[in-house]
Amino acid sequence: RIELNMITILISCLLSLPEKPTNYKTGKDLQAAMAANIKWSSIGAELDNQLEDFERQSEVAILRDRRIDPHRVIQVETDFVPRVQVLNQISARIPDTAVCVTDSFIMLGPAFAADRLPILLSRNAEQVNSLRKKIDTGALRRLTARVDVSWDELAEPRQILVEQAETVGAILLNSNNIPHDVWAARRLPKLSFVELATVVLNQFDLT
């Protein structure tokens, strides 16, 4: 078994959204979806309802950091603009909030957390790649393989990571440092264990 102190790396408290896409767009398809022009109008709608609509229309996973109030009422009206501009306008209605676009998903969260997420994803991927000479090829492949990720209603983020670690043959050290929380059921795009751990722990400032 591989021992990894994943607390050194960094989703969010997410609602279970109905009628989610069967397969999320990633990579170039995600970028194209975000560049597509749309017209957006929302008056008196809660944040999570808007993110749900946005995700369903774009077929791109939109993650909300656990620290962002899902019930905040957001009013946004635009002409035809790129989708990413719509998300930027939504985040601008929430103080100190920003949007982070990655290759697999989009995260809306506190500006400091959104800004550092791409850096952390890159850094942690490099750290795992540096293990090539220290662990066997099969173990490295399990750590970096992108697989379907989901959890049930009221799942604890600590348990989510512990169970995912077990599936790749890793041990999550210091898991008790992850504060107690419960999240709604959620399905994510295919992520590696390292990516998932980064996204989850980033929301607890466990960097």
Side-chain angles (χ1 to χ4, degrees), residues 139-203:
L140 182 64
R141 186 181 300 114
R142 290 194 298 273
L143 284 175
T144 57
R146 289 182 169 177
V147 298
D148 292 325
V149 177
S150 64
W151 54 80
D152 296 328
E153 192 74 15
L154 301 181
E156 297 183 31
R158 179 190 301 122
Q159 194 59 32
I160 291 171
L161 290 187
V162 168
E163 292 178 356
Q164 289 293 325
E166 290 177 352
T167 65
V168 300
I171 298 174
L172 191 69
L173 300 179
N174 301 330
S175 62
N176 288 334
N177 289 349
I178 303 174
H180 172 73
D181 200 2
V182 290
W183 292 355
R186 176 74 205 202
R187 183 176 65 83
L188 301 181
K190 291 181 181 295
L191 297 175
S192 71
F193 174 68
V194 175
E195 292 169 328
L196 174 64
T198 303
V199 173
V200 172
L201 295 176
N202 186 40
Q203 296 173 71

Side-chain angles (χ1 to χ4, degrees), residues 30 34 54 60-64 84 87 99-102 104-108:
L30 182 153
M34 289 301 100
F54 194 96
V60 171
I62 312 297
L63 313 185
R64 174 182 51 77
V84 69
L87 280 181
V99 172
C100 168
V101 180
T102 76
S104 300
F105 59 86
I106 293 175
M107 171 71 80
L108 183 137

Side-chain angles (χ1 to χ4, degrees), residues 6-203:
M6 298 306 295
I7 298 304
T8 62
I9 67 176
L10 290 179
I11 223 166
S12 60
C13 178
L14 298 164
L15 293 177
S16 177
L17 304 178
E19 302 177 9
K20 283 184 176 294
T22 302
N23 294 300
Y24 289 111
K25 294 178 179 178
T26 60
K28 292 182 179 179
D29 290 336
L30 182 153
Q31 298 297 330
M34 289 301 100
N37 289 332
I38 63 170
K39 187 174 184 179
W40 193 266
S41 178
S42 61
I43 300 176
E46 293 187 351
L47 174 62
D48 258 14
N49 290 335
Q50 296 198 50
L51 297 183
E52 173 187 329
D53 289 342
F54 194 96
E55 180 171 287
R56 189 164 54 238
Q57 293 178 26
S58 65
E59 299 182 1
V60 171
I62 312 297
L63 313 185
R64 174 182 51 77
D65 189 286
R66 59 184 288 274
R67 292 162 289 197
I68 302 299
D69 181 6
H71 304 297
R72 188 183 184 100
V73 175
I74 304 292
Q75 180 169 321
V76 172
E77 293 188 78
T78 74
D79 292 323
F80 282 95
V81 297
R83 276 199 180 97
V84 69
Q85 289 190 25
V86 173
L87 280 181
N88 287 334
Q89 290 196 36
I90 290 174
S91 71
R93 302 298 192 274
I94 309 171
D96 302 317
T97 300
V99 172
C100 168
V101 180
T102 76
D103 191 57
S104 300
F105 59 86
I106 293 175
M107 171 71 80
L108 183 137
F112 63 88
D115 290 344
R116 74 187 175 199
L117 182 56
I119 299 172
L120 292 169
L121 287 168
S122 176
R123 185 199 70 183
N124 294 331
E126 291 176 0
Q127 287 181 344
V128 171
N129 285 332
S130 70
L131 298 174
R132 288 182 180 276
K133 296 182 179 180
K134 299 179 181 179
I135 62 177
D136 64 72
T137 303
L140 182 64
R141 186 181 300 114
R142 290 194 298 273
L143 284 175
T144 57
R146 289 182 169 177
V147 298
D148 292 325
V149 177
S150 64
W151 54 80
D152 296 328
E153 192 74 15
L154 301 181
E156 297 183 31
R158 179 190 301 122
Q159 194 59 32
I160 291 171
L161 290 187
V162 168
E163 292 178 356
Q164 289 293 325
E166 290 177 352
T167 65
V168 300
I171 298 174
L172 191 69
L173 300 179
N174 301 330
S175 62
N176 288 334
N177 289 349
I178 303 174
H180 172 73
D181 200 2
V182 290
W183 292 355
R186 176 74 205 202
R187 183 176 65 83
L188 301 181
K190 291 181 181 295
L191 297 175
S192 71
F193 174 68
V194 175
E195 292 169 328
L196 174 64
T198 303
V199 173
V200 172
L201 295 176
N202 186 40
Q203 296 173 71

